Amino acid sequence: MSYDTAITVFSPDGQLFQVEYAMEAVKRGLCCVGVRGKDVVVLGVEKKATSKLQDVKTIKKIYQLDHNLCMTFSGLNADARILANQTRVECQSYKLNYEDDPTVDYIAKYTSQTQQKYTQKGGARPFGISTLIAGFDGPQKPKIFQTDPSGACSEWKATALGKSGKQVKDYLEKNWKEGLSEADAVLLTVKALMDVVESGNRNIEVCVVAFNGVRFLSEAEIDALTKAQ
């Protein structure tokens, strides 16, 4: 039997090869980083180099799901767009039903549950992305969750996904500290990305998620941070 063509069939050693292939798509994707600070979460991503004729605003690596909830990813862009749109609808549905903002934990588990459904459904393939979901459960309660194509969901203090993800994660393990300020968290994120981004600051995007909203750093701010190293 061809175990790597049927999504619902296990191999003799207990593997679902289509899920393994989806994880390989994640490993080949552009790097993304998440760093939790005292009262912020910083997301940093490596962006693909674009043509001069292309509108860079149409290429998104960080999606805002709610007023203080964001998602970034490594893997297939089209899959990420679909998953982000589904998650946005769930955020609004939660607000209508409960008249409150959804927690980061709830949205992360919803996202991972959606991904898991596609690992046991015939006629479909798994999502070829891993995500980092960052947000707040309350004032000074920042959180980062990672979801994988298998449907796994876990909370992190700082982590990295994608190409060179292991190298970046090793750097974060050595340099991350509890209670980082916003400035220190942003600087750590940029330094971690600069180790693996070949084209410099032009291909880096940084987002600061705070309890009262989301802010994207300008090119000038990123340029100043890279020169300060």
Side-chain angles (χ1 to χ4, degrees):
M1 181 178 288
S2 182
Y3 300 105
D4 64 342
T5 58
I7 183 64
T8 56
V9 179
F10 284 94
S11 69
D13 59 351
Q15 290 181 299
L16 287 171
F17 283 117
Q18 288 293 318
V19 176
E20 298 293 326
Y21 298 157
M23 288 300 300
E24 192 62 32
V26 171
K27 292 176 184 176
R28 292 170 184 243
L30 297 176
C31 186
C32 62
V33 180
V35 175
R36 192 185 77 189
K38 182 181 179 182
D39 51 9
V40 295
V41 180
V42 181
L43 296 176
V45 297
E46 177 186 2
K47 294 191 299 182
K48 193 173 183 179
T50 58
S51 165
K52 291 181 180 179
L53 301 177
Q54 192 170 16
D55 185 355
V56 294
K57 293 180 181 178
T58 61
I59 303 171
K60 291 188 177 181
K61 283 284 291 180
I62 301 176
Y63 291 93
Q64 186 170 352
L65 305 176
D66 206 352
H67 76 283
N68 62 359
L69 196 63
C70 281
M71 180 187 92
T72 188
F73 68 94
S74 180
L76 305 179
N77 287 49
D79 287 16
R81 185 182 69 247
I82 297 300
L83 192 58
N85 287 339
Q86 288 185 22
T87 308
R88 283 169 175 160
V89 171
E90 182 61 24
C91 286
Q92 297 307 309
S93 177
Y94 188 98
K95 283 186 175 182
L96 286 171
N97 288 330
Y98 301 105
E99 297 183 355
D100 197 5
D101 293 332
T103 62
V104 190
D105 178 75
Y106 175 85
I107 291 302
K109 286 180 178 176
Y110 170 82
T111 304
S112 62
Q113 181 181 347
T114 303
Q115 288 176 285
Q116 194 276 336
K117 286 178 184 177
Y118 285 82
T119 67
Q120 59 184 63
K121 183 185 293 186
R125 64 165 175 79
F127 282 95
I129 60 169
S130 284
T131 72
L132 294 180
I133 297 174
F136 281 77
D137 284 348
Q140 294 192 334
K141 290 183 180 178
K143 290 190 175 182
I144 303 174
F145 282 86
Q146 176 182 330
T147 73
D148 293 322
S150 63
C153 178
S154 54
E155 186 176 358
W156 293 76
K157 297 172 183 176
T159 189
L161 299 172
K163 187 169 54 179
S164 305
K166 187 178 185 304
Q167 178 185 337
V168 176
K169 200 178 291 185
D170 289 342
Y171 178 86
L172 292 172
E173 285 180 1
K174 293 175 183 176
N175 294 278
W176 185 88
K177 297 177 183 177
E178 190 71 55
L180 288 171
S181 66
E182 178 180 333
D184 289 339
V186 169
L187 186 60
L188 178 60
T189 302
V190 172
K191 282 184 175 180
L193 277 174
M194 287 299 290
D195 276 352
V196 297
V197 176
E198 296 178 359
S199 304
N201 63 294
R202 289 180 300 171
N203 287 348
I204 290 178
E205 185 176 7
V206 179
C207 169
V208 178
V209 184
F211 179 67
N212 58 357
V214 175
R215 180 174 71 89
F216 287 84
L217 267 63
S218 66
E219 288 186 11
E221 288 176 296
I222 296 173
D223 189 43
L225 287 167
T226 54
K227 288 179 179 178
Q229 292 190 56

